[in-house]
Amino acid sequence: MIYYELLLKYYNVLPNDVKEVKGGWSAKAYRVDARKTAYFLKVYDKAKPSIQPWIKRIDSYIHVLGWLSKTPELQGQIVEPIPSVNGSYKVETDDNVFLLFAYVHGNTVGEKGLSCSQVVELAGIFARLHSFGENIPCDTSKLHEDISLSFCDKLKCYLDEIHDQDVLYRLMLPEVDMIRLAILETVKLRNTVRLNVKSLVLCHTDAHYNNVIQSDRLVLVDWEDLRLAPAEADLFMYALNPHWKAFWNAYSTIRSDFHINADLMRFYLIKRRLEDIWYYVSRVLFDVPTEDEVFRICGRLRSAFSETQQLLFDEHSLDFGTDGKI
């Protein structure tokens, strides 16, 4: 039966049932029921080129996540990784890489979005997370945020070489000039704003609604992008949320000495859209997806185009002031 022997051998977990559940883009996901305990198993396919960066990062962040999940400040509100019998969190076979987590009972916020009270709770999680930086009893040397923007170079090369045999040709062609402009803006903000930032904190950097689970309390999951970065690398995710004022008030109550850099927020807002665009394009180009997967990817690309367009050309500039207004 699927993964039963692996779970017993490497994690000393004897499953009653292993059932596939909805996962993210990077890995398949399974719920593991074992007596009175439930686990969440992530399975990374080593054969997929677009998954390789996620696999390579595991050793950089997983022990930091293990430490964070046991801190009094965050215990119970971030997912807890389970070590294998040899003390390592990662288990690797010829075909796959496995990570096991404590199962979080509840549902992702998903399409419903966050209520005002949930936004306030999440802001508290972020504020406590951001109290940790490089001075923790874990190796953080490989967690510094990559600001080389290599994905921008790859995306530019793709735009230079796009042709009518490309599956994405009709979808991408009308957006080429807009994407090039977004790349220029992102590089400019990196060079003029991001490079001057000195204070870095631990950030989730991918806390969208599907990575927030409502259990007894809110729980943040999927920490594959855990980084040392400016706090704005997390805050931008909720900058356009209708409850931003409540979010900012709750956050700044805990971190009263922190002030938002509006240009840095803009950098992360545009950068994230470009990262998403390149990721979706690379999925189509390199992973040989099914027709259904291509359909889903095209839908996400359309959304990313629309959001990027709005960020670049909306005449109402964003103002992330200490009064919480946009």
Side-chain angles (χ1 to χ4, degrees):
M1 302 173 74
I2 189 167
Y3 304 134
Y4 278 55
E5 291 183 3
L6 179 138
L7 287 160
L8 182 59
K9 178 180 179 180
Y10 292 102
Y11 292 101
N12 199 26
V13 170
L14 180 60
N16 298 322
D17 189 29
V18 179
K19 183 185 300 182
E20 187 168 5
V21 295
K22 184 178 180 180
W25 289 89
S26 62
K28 287 186 176 181
Y30 297 85
R31 173 172 172 157
V32 177
D33 288 304
R35 296 183 181 178
K36 296 182 179 180
T37 306
Y39 302 93
F40 185 79
L41 179 68
K42 296 187 75 168
V43 181
Y44 297 84
D45 185 350
K46 293 166 68 174
K48 291 187 174 181
S50 68
I51 306 304
Q52 292 305 312
W54 304 116
I55 294 175
K56 290 177 181 178
R57 286 209 77 243
I58 290 173
D59 290 332
S60 302
Y61 74 84
I62 195 67
H63 287 280
V64 177
L65 177 60
W67 180 83
L68 279 173
S69 69
K70 295 177 176 62
T71 61
E73 294 87 347
L74 294 167
Q75 190 171 25
Q77 292 205 278
I78 67 175
V79 68
E80 178 187 358
I82 305 298
S84 66
V85 292
N86 66 5
S88 173
Y89 288 104
K90 182 180 73 174
V91 169
E92 186 169 358
T93 64
D94 291 340
D95 299 320
N96 299 299
V97 171
F98 301 86
L99 292 176
L100 191 66
F101 299 87
Y103 190 83
V104 180
H105 296 274
N107 297 301
T108 61
V109 174
E111 299 299 326
K112 295 187 300 182
L114 291 163
S115 67
C116 187
S117 61
Q118 288 174 317
V119 160
V120 168
E121 185 179 357
L122 184 62
I125 297 174
F126 279 132
R128 295 191 297 276
L129 173 64
H130 296 166
S131 69
F132 298 106
E134 297 177 82
N135 298 323
I136 64 172
C138 300
D139 180 9
T140 60
S141 60
K142 296 181 180 179
L143 285 185
H144 285 79
E145 178 188 38
D146 178 11
I147 56 171
S148 66
L149 304 182
S150 60
F151 65 91
C152 286
D153 295 331
K154 294 173 183 176
L155 187 53
K156 282 195 297 183
C157 289
Y158 169 72
L159 296 178
D160 290 339
E161 298 171 0
I162 191 171
H163 51 77
D164 57 9
Q165 282 78 41
D166 197 313
V167 174
L168 299 175
Y169 175 77
R170 291 184 180 179
L171 182 64
M172 295 289 293
L173 195 61
E175 311 295 344
V176 168
D177 289 343
M178 184 271 293
I179 295 171
R180 290 189 190 280
L181 184 62
I183 291 171
L184 287 173
E185 178 71 2
T186 303
V187 172
K188 183 188 77 172
L189 288 168
R190 188 273 308 273
N191 293 342
T192 59
V193 181
R194 174 61 186 87
L195 285 177
N196 294 322
V197 175
K198 305 299 182 186
S199 178
L200 304 181
V201 296
L202 287 178
C203 294
H204 184 288
T205 77
D206 195 32
H208 55 73
Y209 293 160
N210 286 325
N211 285 340
V212 181
I213 294 179
Q214 179 63 67
S215 186
D216 296 335
R217 297 187 289 171
L218 289 184
V219 182
L220 271 179
V221 300
D222 280 356
W223 288 76
E224 295 164 318
D225 267 319
L226 178 62
R227 310 273 181 174
L228 279 165
E232 286 88 349
D234 272 336
L235 300 183
F236 87 94
M237 293 291 294
Y238 291 88
L240 304 181
N241 186 282
H243 301 299
W244 165 256
K245 183 174 182 179
F247 180 102
W248 171 246
N249 287 341
Y251 183 91
S252 59
T253 296
I254 298 173
R255 298 194 75 207
S256 57
D257 60 341
F258 176 79
H259 301 284
I260 289 174
N261 183 318
D263 288 332
L264 203 51
M265 291 285 269
R266 179 173 172 81
F267 168 74
Y268 283 111
L269 282 162
I270 302 174
K271 171 179 173 283
R272 175 53 185 260
R273 273 67 185 181
L274 290 174
E275 283 180 302
D276 286 347
I277 290 169
W278 172 244
Y279 177 68
Y280 298 142
V281 168
S282 66
R283 284 290 306 273
V284 174
L285 295 179
F286 307 128
D287 281 0
V288 194
T290 64
E291 288 187 12
D292 285 345
E293 287 175 327
V294 171
F295 180 80
R296 289 167 55 205
I297 289 169
C298 287
R300 297 201 175 195
L301 275 170
R302 290 187 185 95
S303 296
F305 295 155
S306 176
E307 292 167 0
T308 307
Q309 179 92 10
Q310 185 175 6
L311 287 167
L312 288 174
F313 301 114
D314 191 339
E315 61 183 14
H316 302 290
S317 61
L318 300 177
D319 178 18
F320 308 99
T322 54
D323 59 359
K325 295 178 180 177
I326 296 180

